[in-house]
Amino acid sequence: MTTAQDATRPPARRDLGKVGIWSGQFDFSPAGVVREAITELDELGYPTLWTGEVKGREVLVTASLALAATSQITIATGIAQILARNPLTMTAAQLALTEAFPDRFLLGLGVSHAELMHIRGAAYTRPLSQMAAYLDEMDRMAAEQYRAVPPAAAPPRVLAALGPKMLGLARDRADGAHTYFVPPEHTAAARAILGPDKLLIPEQAFVLHTDPAQARELARRHTGSYLRLPNYTTNLRRFGFDDDDLAGTGSDRLVDTIVAWGDADVLLGRIKEHLDAGADQVAVQVLDFDRRGLPRRQWRELAPALLTP
């Protein structure tokens, strides 16, 4: 189903910059430190910051804090969980932030995972149908119910999408897709489904460390938490990973595919693979040995390489 609002959307493939930052670590720092860190990302010249929500700060509150503390960087949600708030609440937040900070807020929406929705007391049943119905209601609320000053143009939205059907919905009902925990081969497959005109922003995890044992130890801390979620393992099986790869914290082959490690040149090579496969931007998630820390040193160190035109 295509709505009137879909028909009036501006061209989807806006310029977000080739490399953004993705971080889920802000929950572990007080708000003042979060503002300081995001301000530094803005001053370093990173064009986009992606952040999500699990059991910490409400992600639209985090986006508000970040937008108010900065002047140029785009803040994107990766993702705002649709079952965590009703469609009018989501629509009102999107429209209010877009009107207050023109061209600096990008709403990423997702159904998330059954395990995380149970915590909220929400029913995770048929994610594709849930998302389609939610988008219908968002569009209706924007057209019929929202009464505050609207933004100048319909704001963009992207969907968290892994499988072909959700990617098709992202193509038909949104401005593109934000993918996570994926190899470059998935990026190529996603671009084929989305077509040439939609945004595609994969996340890419990275460890700035050259020792294989230590780098993989940190990488496995990351992969182990996601390999417990069926949405990710089902998707990885589509790209040739089997039971041996997916067991525990993952095989070396899987770990090295999902988490690049080494120096800046290694990261640039992996980013190029995604871009060559059809990504518009790669959202780099730098992992840190401090479980509750922010990788600010690495963001600074990587900036000259990642932000060189």
Side-chain angles (χ1 to χ4, degrees):
M1 174 182 171
T2 300
T3 69
Q5 184 170 350
D6 292 326
T8 59
R9 288 186 180 280
R13 293 187 74 173
R14 51 196 298 238
D15 184 11
L16 295 170
K18 296 299 182 184
V19 180
I21 291 294
W22 201 106
S23 181
Q25 290 295 102
F26 295 114
D27 283 342
F28 305 118
S29 296
V33 173
V34 172
R35 283 192 291 265
E36 180 184 277
I38 296 174
T39 298
E40 184 177 19
L41 287 173
D42 192 28
E43 292 171 348
L44 286 169
Y46 286 104
T48 310
L49 169 65
W50 293 80
T51 191
E53 62 182 348
V54 181
K55 294 182 288 184
R57 288 189 183 91
E58 198 272 346
V59 70
L60 298 170
V61 170
T62 301
S64 300
L65 290 171
L67 288 163
T70 55
S71 60
Q72 299 182 79
I73 194 169
T74 293
I75 305 299
T77 60
I79 46 83
Q81 300 170 355
I82 65 170
L83 300 180
R85 51 189 70 77
N86 66 50
L88 178 56
T89 301
M90 188 79 82
T91 298
Q94 180 191 30
L95 295 175
L97 288 173
T98 305
E99 189 274 329
F101 303 96
D103 299 321
R104 291 187 54 219
F105 178 65
L106 176 58
L107 179 66
L109 298 165
V111 189
S112 192
H113 305 270
E115 293 84 346
L116 298 178
M117 290 303 96
H118 291 160
I119 296 169
R120 297 182 181 274
Y124 181 98
T125 53
R126 300 172 61 198
L128 187 71
S129 297
Q130 286 176 306
M131 178 60 81
Y134 194 91
L135 296 176
D136 287 342
E137 281 299 288
M138 281 190 70
D139 290 347
R140 188 174 72 83
M141 292 299 166
E144 300 176 9
Q145 298 296 334
Y146 187 68
R147 69 180 188 183
V149 176
R157 65 190 181 202
V158 296
L159 305 187
L162 293 175
K165 292 182 180 179
M166 192 65 80
L167 285 164
L169 190 66
R171 175 195 63 218
D172 297 339
R173 298 297 316 281
D175 297 284
H178 173 44
T179 59
Y180 189 94
F181 208 75
V182 296
E185 291 80 5
H186 182 275
T187 299
R191 174 54 69 197
I193 293 170
L194 290 171
D197 299 325
K198 296 291 182 173
L199 285 168
L200 176 56
I201 304 100
E203 171 268 353
Q204 175 61 59
F206 178 66
V207 176
L208 183 60
H209 204 73
T210 57
D211 179 84
Q214 293 183 33
R216 286 194 179 117
E217 179 183 357
L218 176 53
R220 282 196 157 87
R221 210 166 71 195
H222 176 75
T223 57
S225 62
Y226 290 103
L227 291 176
R228 296 194 295 267
L229 298 171
N231 292 11
Y232 291 123
T233 56
T234 298
N235 184 60
L236 289 169
R237 289 182 190 279
R238 296 186 182 106
F239 296 90
F241 294 98
D242 58 22
D243 288 345
D244 290 337
D245 291 308
L246 301 171
T249 57
S251 66
D252 281 356
R253 181 171 82 100
L254 182 140
V255 168
D256 291 351
T257 299
I258 295 300
V259 184
W261 54 267
D263 59 17
D265 287 338
V266 171
L267 177 56
L268 288 171
R270 184 63 59 84
I271 289 169
K272 185 176 186 301
E273 288 183 58
H274 282 289
L275 294 175
D276 288 348
D280 291 288
Q281 179 186 83
V282 179
V284 174
Q285 180 174 191
V286 181
L287 306 180
D288 192 85
F289 287 94
D290 181 354
R291 289 178 182 270
R292 293 178 173 265
L294 288 168
R296 295 177 66 177
R297 174 188 62 81
Q298 295 95 317
W299 290 341
R300 292 184 205 112
E301 187 172 335
L302 290 168
L306 298 185
L307 300 176
T308 299

